[in-house]
Amino acid sequence: MIRPFHTVKLAIVLFTLLWWLCGGSSLANHIVGGELELVHVQGFRYNLNLIQYFDQAQSANPGPEPQLLAYIYRKSDNVFMRRDTLFLTDQATVPYTNIECSLDELKTLRAFYTREIELLPENFDDPNGYYVVWERCCRNAGIVNIVNSIGAGQTYYLEFPPVVKNGRPFINSSPSLFPPLSDYACVNQLYYTDFAGVDLDGDSLAYTLVTPLNSSALQALPIPQPAPHPEVIWSQGIDLANVIPGNPSLRITNRGFITVKPEKIGLYVFSVLCQEFRKGVKIGEVRRDFQMLVVDGCNPEPPPNLKVRVPGSLSFNSVIRDTLVFRAGDNKCFDIQVTDPVGDKNIKMRAVGVNFEGEVEGIFTLKEGYLATADDIFNLQVCLSKCPYVSEGPYLIDIIAADDACPLPQMDTVRLAVIMEPPPNQAPRYVNQTSKMINLTLDEGISYSLPLEGIDLDDETMVLDIVASDFDPEEWGMQVAIGKDEAGSIEAVFEWETGCGSFPFGVKNQFDFTLRLSDNDFCMDNSRDEIQVSLTVNLPVNNPPELSTTLGSYDLQIPVGTNFSFPVTATDADGDVIDLIAVPVNFSFEDYLINFSPVSGPGEVSSTFSWNLGCDLIDTEVQDYFELNFVAADNDFCLQTETAVISLKINVFQETNESPVITVAGVENDRVTINSLEFIELEVTSTDPDNDFLSIDLLDGVPLPPSETFEFNRVEGQGQAKGFLRWAPECFLFDEAREVSYKVSFLSWDTRCPNPKFDTLSIFIDLIDRESPGEFLPANIFTPNGDGINDTYSIPDLPVDNCDDQFQFFKVMTREGTNVYMTRQRDFVWNGDKLPSGVYYYMVKYSQRSFNGVLSIER
C-alpha cells in the first residue's frame, strides 16, 4: 500500500494550526457543513432531522449543542408556521474510504439531531409548499475560496411539498443525502466521489452546484430568518464555474458524481443542491454545504493494468474496439487479467453502467484480489446476465480495477460495448377489448367500470397499470380491482367514481391515460398491450354569480374631503356559497384607510365599501387615480368556480374654494363709537360662497381690551356663522383721557380640504366719556287731569352720565319737605299720584351734583 508523504501531514498540520488560531470559542469556527431531512413516519407525522458536520481536529472549539431550534416558513409568502426543538441523539466520526490513509489531523464529526413532529393538513396545505431553516456560525477559518470565512455562517435549508393535494394525503420524504467527504484531494491529481443520495419514495433526484448560504447574523446561533437568505461572497477569481480551480475545476453530474483535478492547495467550501422530482414536477429540495481539503506531496504509484479477453479472441487487450454481439443462447462469459507494475496492492473490481442506470456489480463472481509483486497476475471470469440492460442498441459497461492508494484508489478501465438478444417473449394481450381507443363522456356522479381480461401465451404472470403523464390516477380515485390473477391469465375491472363530493372535477374534468398490460418477463423487456382511454366528466351547469352596487357609474369623479361609501351585493342563482372580496389594482387599502370586509355565505352576501378621502390621506400630486376590482366567486359543488367582476375607477380631484366673508352690523368704515357707561352689542356674521362649514373667533395675537365685560365666543355654522360681541366698558379704561380706542380683530375659516380659506376683519371701537352741561331747565308744570295733554311728567333731556358724575335719583317734595315721589330710573314717567294741585319742589340728584326746582301740578 502507498502511504502519503510527510509533506501531506505537514500541510494538514499548518492548516489546522491556522484554523485554531483564527477560531473563536463563542462563535465556534469549525463548522464543516450539514443538511436537513424530513422523513415520513405515519399519517401526518414526520421525523425532522438535522445533520451537522464539525471539524473534530479543532479541539479548542466546543462540541455540538445538546439541542437546537429549527423554523418552518410558508414558501408562497414567507409566513412563519412553527418552530421545533431538535435533540442531539448521535455523534460519530466520518470514516475514510481507505482507513490506511487516515490522518489524526483530519477528522470530521457527524452530529445527528432529530424530533418527531406532526404537520396537520389544515396548516400545511399550501400548494407552493414550505421550507425548514436553521442557522449556525461560523465556518472554518482559513477557507480560501470565500471572503472572511471566520465571519461567515451557514443556513441549512430544506423545501417540502404540502402534506395534502386535491384533498388527499401527499406522502413524501426528503432525499436522504449522500455520504460526506472523508478524504483529502491532491494537487494535479483527479479526485472523484459519488455524492449521490437516495429517495425513499423513488422520486428522481438532480444535483447542481450552488453558492453556499451565509447566516443572517455574526453570532453562534442566529434566529433562523425567512427567505431570501444571504450568500457567502466568493474570493476573487472564484465563481460557480470555478469553485475549486483546476483542470477540470469542481464539477457535479446531474446524478451526483463529483470530480475535480485541483491546481492549488487550500481548504475549499462548496454547496450542492439536490432537487426532488415526482412525475417530472419538482416537489422539494435540500442543500448540503461541505469542505474539501487540497494538499500537495501526494505521489501515488502507477495504477494497475487491466486487460480483457472476449469470446472468440485468443489474447487479452486493454482496449476492446468491437461491439460484442450475443444471441439468446450464446455463452456470455469473458476473461479478465489484472497486473500491477509495483505489486503489494489490494485490487478491487467493479462494473459501472455508462449509458444506463441500474445495478451491474452482480456480474462478478470474484471481486477482490491481492498482487504481491509486479509478476503476479489476478485472473477472473465474468459472465453477463442473459438480459440486456437497454432495450435498443448497444449498452456500455466500464470494467474497473482499483488499487488501495492514498488518498483515493488509482484505477484502470476497459469499456465494453454489448448488443444482446433477449430470450424470446410473447407480449400479453387483452382478449375482451377489441378497441384500443376508448373515448367517453360521463355525467358527474356516476360509477364507471370497465372489465378487463388478459392472457400471456408464455404463461407468465401479468401486471395491469393505469399510466398517466399529467395527473396521478390514484389521487383521482382511479383503480384496477384484480379478480383472477394466475400465470398466463388475468381478470380485472377498472373502476372510477365521478362524484364531485370526492374529487374536484371543476378543476380538471378531462383525463387521458393508458391501461397497460405487461408481463413479468425475466428480462423485463417491456412487452405489453395497451388501451388508450380518454374520459371526460360532464359537469352540471353552474350559473355565475352576479354583482351589483348602488352606484350609477363605475368611472367616478370624487372631490378630496368626501366621505364615500356604498354597498356591494353578490347573488348566486344556484344558491352556492359566494366569496366576495375587493382587490386594489394600483394602491393598497391599508395606505388609504379604506374599509371593505370580505364576506362569504350562501346565495347572497353584501359588504360596504367606505372611504373617507381625508386631506391627511390624499395628495393628488402624488396619486389621483385609483382602480380596484370587486370579485365574487362561487364555491360550486364541483369546484367549477365562476366569477363576476366589477372594475371601479376613481379619479380624485381638488374642488375650487372661495374665501368666507366677515361683516359686522352697525359698523361703518370699520369703526363704532360707544359713550361711557353704555352697553354695546355687535352682530358678527361670516358667510361662505361654497356653503362650507365655518367658524368665527377672535384673531390670536391681537390684544383685547382689559375688560371683564368684553365678550365674544367662537361660533360655527354650515354656510353661515353668526356671533355677538357684547361689552359694557368700565370707567377705568379711560384713565385720564376722555376718549380711548380699541382694535378688535376677527378670523373666519372654512374646513374645505386640502386648501381651506379664511377671512379676517378688524374694527375699532371708540370709547367717549362725554361732559354733562353745567345747568339744564326741565319743565316745571304738568296737568294730570285725564285730558291726554301733559297728563304725566318726565325729564327726557336729563344731563348725560359720565364717569365722573352719574344719575342717582329724582324726587318730589312738599313745601314742608315731605317726600311724595322718588325714582332711580332715568326714564321715569310720573302721573302725579293723585296729589292735589299745588306747588311742589323737585331734586335731580347726580353723584357729584344736584339740580333743584319748582314743579306745579294743576288739575
Coordinates of all heavy atoms in Angstrom, one line a residue, residues 589-638:
F589 N -55.3 49.2 0.3 CA -56.4 49.7 1.2 C -55.8 50.2 2.5 O -56.3 51.2 3.0 CB -57.4 48.6 1.5 CG -58.3 48.3 0.3 CD1 -59.2 47.2 0.4 CD2 -58.3 49.0 -0.8 CE1 -60.1 46.9 -0.6 CE2 -59.2 48.7 -1.9 CZ -60.1 47.7 -1.8
E590 N -54.7 49.6 3.0 CA -54.2 50.0 4.2 C -53.6 51.4 4.2 O -53.7 52.1 5.1 CB -53.1 49.0 4.7 CG -53.6 47.6 5.0 CD -53.9 46.7 3.8 OE1 -53.5 47.2 2.7 OE2 -54.5 45.6 3.9
D591 N -52.9 51.7 3.1 CA -52.3 53.0 3.0 C -53.3 54.1 3.0 O -53.0 55.3 3.4 CB -51.5 53.1 1.7 CG -50.2 52.2 1.7 OD1 -49.9 51.8 2.8 OD2 -49.6 52.0 0.7
Y592 N -54.6 53.9 2.5 CA -55.6 54.9 2.4 C -56.8 54.7 3.3 O -57.8 55.3 3.2 CB -56.0 55.0 0.9 CG -55.0 55.6 0.0 CD1 -54.1 54.8 -0.7 CD2 -54.9 56.9 -0.1 CE1 -53.1 55.3 -1.5 CE2 -53.9 57.5 -1.0 CZ -53.0 56.6 -1.7 OH -52.1 57.2 -2.5
L593 N -56.6 53.8 4.3 CA -57.6 53.6 5.3 C -59.0 53.3 4.7 O -60.0 53.8 5.1 CB -57.7 54.7 6.3 CG -56.4 55.1 7.0 CD1 -56.6 56.2 8.0 CD2 -55.8 53.9 7.8
I594 N -59.0 52.4 3.7 CA -60.2 52.0 3.1 C -60.8 50.8 3.8 O -60.0 49.9 4.1 CB -60.0 51.7 1.6 CG1 -59.7 53.0 0.8 CG2 -61.2 51.0 1.0 CD1 -59.3 52.8 -0.6
N595 N -62.1 50.7 4.0 CA -62.7 49.6 4.7 C -63.6 48.8 3.7 O -64.4 49.4 3.0 CB -63.6 50.1 5.9 CG -62.8 50.7 7.0 OD1 -61.7 50.1 7.3 ND2 -63.2 51.8 7.5
F596 N -63.3 47.6 3.6 CA -64.2 46.6 2.9 C -63.9 45.2 3.4 O -62.8 44.7 3.2 CB -63.9 46.7 1.4 CG -65.0 45.8 0.6 CD1 -66.2 46.4 0.3 CD2 -64.7 44.5 0.3 CE1 -67.1 45.6 -0.4 CE2 -65.7 43.7 -0.3 CZ -66.9 44.3 -0.7
S597 N -64.8 44.7 4.1 CA -64.6 43.4 4.8 C -65.0 42.3 3.8 O -66.2 42.3 3.3 CB -65.5 43.3 6.1 OG -65.1 44.3 7.0
P598 N -64.1 41.3 3.5 CA -64.5 40.2 2.7 C -65.6 39.4 3.4 O -65.6 39.2 4.6 CB -63.2 39.4 2.6 CG -62.1 40.3 3.0 CD -62.7 41.3 3.9
V599 N -66.6 38.9 2.7 CA -67.7 38.1 3.2 C -67.9 36.8 2.4 O -67.5 36.8 1.3 CB -69.0 38.9 3.3 CG1 -68.9 40.1 4.3 CG2 -69.3 39.5 1.9
S600 N -68.5 35.9 3.1 CA -68.7 34.6 2.4 C -70.1 34.1 3.0 O -70.3 34.2 4.2 CB -67.6 33.6 2.7 OG -67.8 32.4 2.1
G601 N -70.9 33.5 2.1 CA -72.1 32.9 2.5 C -72.9 32.4 1.3 O -72.6 32.6 0.2
P602 N -74.0 31.6 1.6 CA -74.8 31.0 0.5 C -75.8 32.0 -0.1 O -76.4 32.7 0.6 CB -75.5 29.8 1.3 CG -75.6 30.3 2.7 CD -74.4 31.2 2.9
G603 N -75.9 31.9 -1.4 CA -77.0 32.6 -2.1 C -76.8 34.1 -2.3 O -76.8 34.6 -3.4
E604 N -76.6 34.9 -1.2 CA -76.5 36.3 -1.3 C -75.6 36.8 -0.1 O -75.8 36.4 1.0 CB -77.8 37.0 -1.3 CG -77.8 38.5 -1.4 CD -79.1 39.1 -1.5 OE1 -80.1 38.5 -2.0 OE2 -79.3 40.3 -1.0
V605 N -74.7 37.7 -0.5 CA -73.8 38.3 0.6 C -73.7 39.8 0.2 O -73.8 40.2 -1.0 CB -72.4 37.7 0.7 CG1 -72.6 36.3 1.2 CG2 -71.7 37.7 -0.7
S606 N -73.4 40.6 1.2 CA -73.2 42.0 0.9 C -72.2 42.6 1.9 O -72.0 42.1 3.0 CB -74.5 42.8 1.1 OG -74.4 44.1 0.8
S607 N -71.4 43.6 1.4 CA -70.5 44.3 2.3 C -70.4 45.7 1.8 O -70.7 46.0 0.7 CB -69.1 43.6 2.2 OG -68.2 44.2 3.1
T608 N -70.0 46.6 2.7 CA -70.0 48.0 2.4 C -68.5 48.5 2.2 O -67.6 48.3 3.0 CB -70.6 48.8 3.6 OG1 -72.0 48.4 3.7 CG2 -70.5 50.3 3.3
F609 N -68.4 49.2 1.1 CA -67.1 49.9 0.8 C -67.2 51.3 1.3 O -68.1 52.0 1.0 CB -66.9 49.9 -0.7 CG -65.6 50.7 -1.2 CD1 -64.4 50.0 -1.3 CD2 -65.7 52.0 -1.4 CE1 -63.3 50.7 -1.7 CE2 -64.5 52.7 -1.8 CZ -63.3 52.0 -1.9
S610 N -66.2 51.7 2.2 CA -66.3 53.0 2.7 C -64.9 53.6 2.7 O -63.9 52.9 3.0 CB -66.8 53.0 4.2 OG -66.0 52.3 5.0
W611 N -64.8 54.9 2.4 CA -63.5 55.6 2.2 C -63.7 57.1 2.5 O -64.5 57.8 1.9 CB -63.0 55.5 0.8 CG -61.6 56.0 0.5 CD1 -60.7 56.4 1.5 CD2 -61.0 56.2 -0.7 NE1 -59.6 56.8 0.9 CE2 -59.7 56.7 -0.5 CE3 -61.4 55.9 -2.0 CZ2 -58.8 57.0 -1.5 CZ3 -60.5 56.2 -3.0 CH2 -59.2 56.7 -2.8
N612 N -63.1 57.5 3.6 CA -63.1 58.9 3.9 C -61.9 59.6 3.3 O -60.7 59.3 3.8 CB -63.1 59.1 5.4 CG -63.2 60.6 5.8 OD1 -63.2 61.5 5.0 ND2 -63.4 60.8 7.1
L613 N -62.1 60.3 2.2 CA -60.9 60.8 1.5 C -60.4 62.1 2.2 O -60.5 63.2 1.7 CB -61.3 61.2 0.0 CG -61.5 60.0 -1.0 CD1 -62.8 59.3 -0.7 CD2 -61.5 60.5 -2.4
G614 N -59.9 61.9 3.4 CA -59.4 63.0 4.2 C -58.2 63.6 3.6 O -57.4 63.0 2.8
C615 N -58.0 64.9 3.9 CA -56.9 65.7 3.4 C -55.6 65.2 3.8 O -54.6 65.3 3.2 CB -57.0 67.2 3.8 SG -58.5 67.9 3.2
D616 N -55.5 64.5 5.0 CA -54.3 64.0 5.5 C -53.9 62.7 4.8 O -52.8 62.2 5.0 CB -54.4 63.7 7.0 CG -55.5 62.8 7.4 OD1 -56.5 62.7 6.6 OD2 -55.5 62.3 8.5
L617 N -54.8 62.1 4.0 CA -54.5 60.9 3.3 C -54.3 61.0 1.8 O -53.5 60.3 1.2 CB -55.7 59.9 3.5 CG -55.9 59.3 4.9 CD1 -57.1 58.4 4.9 CD2 -54.7 58.5 5.3
I618 N -54.9 62.0 1.2 CA -54.9 62.2 -0.2 C -54.0 63.3 -0.6 O -54.2 64.5 -0.2 CB -56.3 62.4 -0.8 CG1 -57.2 61.2 -0.4 CG2 -56.2 62.5 -2.3 CD1 -56.8 59.9 -1.0
D619 N -53.0 63.1 -1.4 CA -52.2 64.1 -2.1 C -52.3 63.9 -3.6 O -51.7 63.0 -4.2 CB -50.7 64.0 -1.6 CG -49.9 65.2 -2.2 OD1 -50.4 65.9 -3.1 OD2 -48.8 65.4 -1.8
T620 N -53.2 64.7 -4.2 CA -53.4 64.4 -5.6 C -52.2 64.6 -6.5 O -52.2 64.2 -7.7 CB -54.6 65.4 -6.1 OG1 -54.2 66.7 -5.8 CG2 -55.9 65.0 -5.4
E621 N -51.2 65.3 -6.0 CA -50.0 65.5 -6.8 C -49.2 64.2 -6.8 O -48.4 63.9 -7.8 CB -49.1 66.6 -6.3 CG -49.8 68.0 -6.5 CD -48.8 69.1 -6.0 OE1 -47.7 68.8 -5.6 OE2 -49.2 70.3 -6.1
V622 N -49.4 63.3 -5.8 CA -48.7 62.0 -5.8 C -49.5 61.0 -6.5 O -49.0 60.2 -7.3 CB -48.5 61.6 -4.3 CG1 -47.9 60.2 -4.3 CG2 -47.6 62.6 -3.6
Q623 N -50.8 60.9 -6.2 CA -51.7 60.0 -6.9 C -53.1 60.5 -6.9 O -53.7 60.9 -5.8 CB -51.7 58.6 -6.2 CG -52.5 57.5 -6.9 CD -52.3 56.1 -6.4 OE1 -51.4 55.9 -5.6 NE2 -53.0 55.2 -6.9
D624 N -53.8 60.5 -8.0 CA -55.2 61.0 -8.1 C -56.1 60.0 -8.8 O -57.3 60.2 -9.0 CB -55.3 62.3 -8.7 CG -54.8 62.3 -10.2 OD1 -54.3 61.2 -10.7 OD2 -54.8 63.4 -10.8
Y625 N -55.5 58.8 -9.2 CA -56.3 57.8 -9.9 C -56.2 56.5 -9.2 O -55.1 56.0 -8.9 CB -55.8 57.6 -11.4 CG -56.5 56.5 -12.1 CD1 -57.8 56.6 -12.6 CD2 -55.8 55.3 -12.3 CE1 -58.4 55.5 -13.2 CE2 -56.4 54.2 -13.0 CZ -57.7 54.4 -13.4 OH -58.3 53.3 -14.1
F626 N -57.3 55.9 -8.9 CA -57.4 54.6 -8.1 C -58.3 53.6 -8.8 O -59.4 54.0 -9.2 CB -57.9 54.9 -6.7 CG -57.1 55.9 -5.9 CD1 -57.3 57.3 -6.0 CD2 -56.0 55.5 -5.1 CE1 -56.5 58.2 -5.4 CE2 -55.2 56.4 -4.4 CZ -55.5 57.8 -4.5
E627 N -57.8 52.4 -8.9 CA -58.5 51.4 -9.6 C -58.6 50.2 -8.7 O -57.6 49.8 -8.1 CB -57.9 51.0 -10.9 CG -58.7 50.0 -11.7 CD -58.0 49.7 -13.1 OE1 -57.1 50.4 -13.4 OE2 -58.5 48.8 -13.8
L628 N -59.8 49.6 -8.6 CA -60.0 48.4 -7.8 C -61.0 47.5 -8.5 O -61.8 48.0 -9.3 CB -60.4 48.7 -6.4 CG -61.7 49.4 -6.2 CD1 -62.4 48.9 -4.9 CD2 -61.5 50.9 -6.1
N629 N -61.0 46.2 -8.1 CA -62.0 45.2 -8.6 C -62.7 44.6 -7.5 O -62.1 44.2 -6.5 CB -61.3 44.1 -9.4 CG -60.6 44.7 -10.7 OD1 -61.2 45.5 -11.4 ND2 -59.5 44.2 -11.0
F630 N -64.0 44.5 -7.6 CA -64.9 43.7 -6.7 C -65.0 42.4 -7.4 O -65.5 42.3 -8.6 CB -66.2 44.4 -6.5 CG -66.1 45.7 -5.7 CD1 -66.2 46.9 -6.4 CD2 -65.8 45.8 -4.4 CE1 -66.1 48.1 -5.8 CE2 -65.7 47.0 -3.7 CZ -65.8 48.2 -4.4
V631 N -64.7 41.3 -6.7 CA -64.8 40.0 -7.3 C -65.7 39.1 -6.4 O -65.5 39.0 -5.2 CB -63.4 39.4 -7.3 CG1 -63.4 38.0 -8.0 CG2 -62.4 40.3 -8.1
A632 N -66.6 38.4 -7.1 CA -67.5 37.4 -6.4 C -67.2 36.1 -7.1 O -67.2 36.0 -8.3 CB -68.9 37.8 -6.6
A633 N -66.8 35.1 -6.3 CA -66.6 33.7 -6.8 C -67.4 32.8 -6.1 O -67.5 32.8 -4.8 CB -65.1 33.4 -6.6
D634 N -68.1 31.9 -6.8 CA -69.0 30.9 -6.2 C -68.1 29.6 -5.8 O -67.1 29.3 -6.5 CB -70.2 30.6 -7.0 CG -69.9 29.9 -8.3 OD1 -68.7 29.7 -8.6 OD2 -70.8 29.6 -9.1
N635 N -68.5 28.9 -4.8 CA -67.9 27.7 -4.4 C -68.8 26.6 -4.9 O -69.6 26.0 -4.1 CB -67.7 27.6 -2.9 CG -66.7 28.6 -2.5 OD1 -65.5 28.5 -2.8 ND2 -67.1 29.7 -1.7
D636 N -68.8 26.3 -6.2 CA -69.6 25.3 -6.7 C -69.3 23.9 -6.2 O -68.1 23.6 -5.8 CB -69.4 25.3 -8.3 CG -70.3 24.2 -9.0 OD1 -71.5 24.3 -8.8 OD2 -69.7 23.3 -9.6
F637 N -70.3 23.0 -6.1 CA -70.1 21.7 -5.6 C -69.0 20.9 -6.3 O -68.2 20.2 -5.7 CB -71.4 20.9 -5.8 CG -71.4 19.5 -5.3 CD1 -71.2 19.2 -4.0 CD2 -71.5 18.4 -6.2 CE1 -71.1 17.8 -3.6 CE2 -71.4 17.1 -5.8 CZ -71.3 16.8 -4.5
C638 N -68.8 21.2 -7.6 CA -67.8 20.5 -8.4 C -66.5 21.4 -8.5 O -65.6 21.0 -9.2 CB -68.3 20.2 -9.8 SG -69.4 18.8 -9.8

